[in-house]
Amino acid sequence: MKFRIGQGYDVHQLEEGRDFWLGGIKIPHTYGAKGHSDADVVCHVLCDALLGAANMRNIGYHFSDKDPQWKGVDSKILLAKVLEMIREAGYEVGNVDVTVILQEPKLNPHIPIMKECLSGVMNVDVEDISIKATTSENMGFVGRKEGIAALCVALIYKPEGR
């Protein structure tokens, strides 16, 4: 069996009055992330980590923010397309581990729902998806509540004979 590891990193500015999509779900809050798509940083870092593991470049290469067809798109669609791409190349997802860096709101109550949502999109067991949240201890753009950041590592594998 062949194993590969990829990592992803994404940041988005936060803006008052925007919908806040994270991990495929809408989180009630007074602000949300700003971006070309729905700006779901969890879906975006998952895409980048999975694409990187499969040596398929990054999310911007496949879904350019200059392309109007991706304007306002639900990032779960992008993630599903990435899963199709890596599976067409013969890979399966082993597990993924996401860290979200955000000052507020607290994400712990939302994590189980995010994992369930992503499990369905990715067609993997919920136990193979880890999502953690932390703050930046009031430092930097995250601490000033100007933005959100996320990191991800993904393990993919190619079963014998593929």
Side-chain angles (χ1 to χ4, degrees):
M1 203 171 323
K2 183 174 186 175
F3 293 93
R4 297 182 64 116
I5 298 171
Q7 57 126 14
Y9 173 75
D10 194 30
V11 297
H12 281 278
Q13 292 178 342
L14 294 174
E15 191 173 88
E16 195 165 342
R18 295 185 68 91
D19 288 341
F20 193 21
W21 289 95
L22 203 58
I25 66 169
K26 186 175 173 183
I27 295 179
H29 201 60
T30 56
Y31 58 78
K34 178 177 159 183
H36 185 70
S37 66
D38 64 5
D40 184 331
V41 297
V42 171
C43 287
H44 293 184
V45 294
L46 282 163
C47 288
D48 270 349
L50 292 164
L51 288 167
N55 195 19
M56 293 181 175
R57 308 212 33 186
N58 66 11
I59 190 173
Y61 179 80
H62 295 281
F63 312 106
S64 172
D65 64 2
K66 308 289 187 263
D67 189 335
Q69 76 173 311
W70 306 122
K71 178 74 175 155
V73 71
D74 181 336
S75 293
K76 293 187 299 291
I77 292 169
L78 304 180
L79 181 58
K81 289 183 179 293
V82 166
L83 268 294
E84 284 176 25
M85 293 165 57
I86 69 164
R87 288 189 173 125
E88 283 175 13
Y91 291 102
E92 291 297 331
V93 176
N95 72 298
V96 295
D97 183 18
V98 177
T99 303
V100 179
I101 306 113
L102 178 67
Q103 205 59 45
E104 62 178 43
K106 296 298 183 196
L107 297 182
N108 281 335
H110 306 286
I111 288 174
I113 302 162
M114 283 190 244
K115 290 175 60 169
E116 283 290 334
C117 176
L118 294 171
S119 172
V121 173
M122 298 172 66
N123 195 26
V124 300
D125 290 337
V126 77
E127 293 83 21
D128 294 329
I129 299 171
S130 170
I131 301 175
K132 308 175 301 297
T134 189
T135 69
S136 66
E137 300 293 332
N138 296 305
M139 296 183 294
F141 70 90
V142 171
R144 291 187 301 271
K145 303 173 191 165
E146 297 169 357
I148 181 172
L151 306 157
C152 179
V153 63
L155 175 72
I156 64 173
Y157 64 94
K158 190 177 277 191
E160 294 296 327
R162 283 199 188 177

